[in-house]
Amino acid sequence: MFPYQELEEKYAKFVGTDYACATNTGTAALHLAIEALEMPNDTQVIVPDFSMYASALAVHYARLTPVFIDCDENLLIDLDKVEKHFDMTVNKWRTRILMVTHVYGRTVDMDRVNYIAKKYKLRVIEDACEAQGAEIGTKLGQAGGYDIGCFSFYRNKIIHAEEGGIITSDDKAFIEKAQDMKNMSFGDKHNYYHKRIGFNYRMSDAQAKMALESLEQYNINMFKRHKMCEIYNEIIPEEYQMPNNRKAVWVYDMKHPNPDTMVKLLNSGGITARHSFKPLSKQPLFDHWVPNHVAKTMSESVFYVNINPLEHLSEVRHKAFEIKRLLDDWK
């Protein structure tokens, strides 16, 4: 068994699915998942407006149409607005995929997603890159375990290599198709007759080995991350805190009237900080959309700091007090 195959086997078991397909990036996992569904060209794909750019690019790469749905106060796709989307009959005909993103370790209500998917006959793709290992729903198990899960192993993820991705699913025929398509759709005969579109999305064994090592460290990794989150919750004033309902601690996000200033000051002081997502509907590739109100508002106030489980808790506490000082000074 090659290392990438071992990773597929162990990661599927970790998520709770029967199968997995390793890829070279998380973006490739999203794109390949959509391609392997082989939907008609008029297909609409529901995409969270508050999500990483790759979520929308995957749909664009597959030559399908993204439909951006606003987020709620947790930064997660607003499922009320997802259901409202189907008030239009044409959407019932054309919308065939529902993509949800578990943002910054918070998870979408997958029990309700399950209900919506069955009601409107949708395939569900979970962009679970930021919630590896998170428990979701009452019966659905873990993030990425409902229908089709997509993950990234980029170096800043909870389970990581330097790069890489993976698709998880119980759908054997779907995974077999993805396995073929990621290998240029050579098929079983490998006779240079390619029956469908193919991609060079294979994961290298070197990356797989790193991801396997990281997977082995998951429990202690997540334990440390939750401890760090507790320190930030204790020190950061409540007015700046985002909802404390992270099922997995990937980063620690906050809100502030001047997030751009916070990011600049924190980075200049050696504390790694990043802006939150900008609405996908505001990206130049998709700017024919009217930006969704909540996604736009949240993008103008939310930022986050890095969580590094290799840091000592005393160092995290020191950072938290410095962040608190800056938040208060610049409000």
Side-chain angles (χ1 to χ4, degrees):
M1 181 183 293
F2 291 105
Y4 83 87
Q5 294 171 316
E6 182 182 355
L7 177 63
E8 289 173 340
E9 184 177 286
K10 290 186 175 180
Y11 203 83
K13 184 177 181 180
F14 172 74
V15 171
T17 58
D18 293 333
Y19 311 103
C21 172
T23 62
N24 57 352
T25 68
T27 302
L30 285 167
H31 177 212
L32 184 63
I34 296 171
E35 293 280 6
L37 289 174
E38 293 189 312
M39 292 294 183
N41 291 335
D42 68 345
T43 293
Q44 293 177 344
V45 181
I46 291 176
V47 180
D49 202 16
F50 195 92
S51 182
M52 200 270 186
Y53 193 34
S55 300
L57 285 179
V59 180
H60 185 72
Y61 293 161
R63 306 162 305 285
L64 304 181
T65 303
V67 176
F68 300 116
I69 301 293
D70 207 357
C71 67
D72 59 20
E73 297 299 317
N74 293 296
L75 308 178
L76 305 173
I77 190 168
D78 189 327
L79 296 179
D80 288 339
K81 292 174 182 174
V82 170
E83 293 221 60
K84 188 173 178 59
H85 167 78
F86 291 100
D87 287 348
M88 293 183 63
T89 302
V90 66
N91 292 336
K92 294 178 182 177
W93 297 338
R94 295 182 58 195
T95 304
R96 300 177 178 95
I97 301 173
L98 168 57
M99 183 187 294
V100 300
T101 303
H102 304 306
V103 180
Y104 304 157
R106 298 182 188 87
T107 59
V108 179
D109 181 352
M110 293 305 296
D111 288 320
R112 187 172 176 193
V113 169
N114 182 30
Y115 166 80
I116 294 170
K118 288 182 177 179
K119 183 176 180 180
Y120 298 106
K121 298 179 174 60
L122 309 173
R123 295 303 299 261
V124 175
I125 295 177
E126 288 178 70
D127 182 343
C129 299
E130 299 173 9
Q132 290 164 311
E135 295 295 327
I136 58 171
T138 56
K139 298 181 181 178
L140 299 172
Q142 195 177 113
Y146 168 59
D147 183 7
I148 299 167
C150 292
F151 298 84
S152 168
F153 294 128
Y154 184 62
R155 66 180 67 187
N156 68 355
K157 297 300 185 289
I158 297 169
I159 300 170
H160 61 275
E162 289 183 344
E163 190 55 275
I166 201 164
I167 305 169
T168 56
S169 183
D170 289 332
D171 187 337
K172 183 179 180 180
F174 163 79
I175 288 292
E176 287 177 345
K177 192 182 297 181
Q179 292 281 15
D180 186 38
M181 293 177 81
K182 81 173 184 185
N183 190 32
M184 297 299 292
S185 294
F186 271 105
D188 295 333
K189 296 181 179 180
H190 209 289
N191 61 0
Y192 294 94
Y193 180 74
H194 307 266
K195 294 182 179 180
R196 60 171 68 94
I197 191 171
F199 310 94
N200 186 358
Y201 281 172
R202 296 181 296 269
M203 172 185 274
S204 72
D205 283 336
Q207 297 297 331
K209 287 178 181 178
M210 285 187 278
L212 282 165
E213 291 174 3
S214 183
L215 179 60
E216 289 294 321
Q217 297 296 316
Y218 174 78
N219 288 332
I220 186 64
N221 181 348
M222 187 54 65
F223 176 79
K224 291 178 179 178
R225 287 172 176 272
H226 278 289
K227 285 293 183 184
M228 292 174 177
C229 183
E230 290 173 7
I231 290 173
Y232 282 120
N233 286 338
E234 173 191 340
I235 296 171
I236 301 299
E238 188 172 339
E239 64 180 295
Y240 306 120
Q241 290 189 27
M242 290 293 288
N244 185 32
N245 53 3
R246 304 169 184 87
K247 297 292 183 66
V249 179
W250 178 52
V251 296
Y252 189 83
D253 55 331
M254 290 167 274
K255 55 188 176 183
H256 192 272
N258 300 298
D260 292 345
T261 301
M262 288 298 101
V263 170
K264 182 178 179 180
L265 290 173
L266 289 169
N267 281 316
S268 65
I271 299 175
T272 302
R274 295 287 184 269
H275 299 276
S276 69
F277 298 131
K278 298 293 189 295
L280 296 177
S281 56
K282 288 191 68 177
Q283 305 297 337
L285 190 61
F286 307 109
D287 65 2
H288 54 285
W289 281 82
V290 176
N292 287 297
H293 174 69
V294 181
K296 180 177 182 295
T297 300
M298 298 304 282
S299 74
E300 293 169 349
S301 62
V302 175
F303 71 100
Y304 64 83
V305 293
N306 183 46
I307 293 286
N308 181 1
L310 297 180
E311 290 181 334
H312 194 277
L313 295 182
S314 61
E315 184 178 355
V316 176
R317 184 171 292 274
H318 172 76
K319 286 184 176 182
F321 278 113
E322 177 61 13
I323 293 168
K324 176 183 182 299
R325 181 185 70 80
L326 291 171
L327 288 168
D328 287 335
D329 285 350
W330 290 87
K331 67 179 178 180

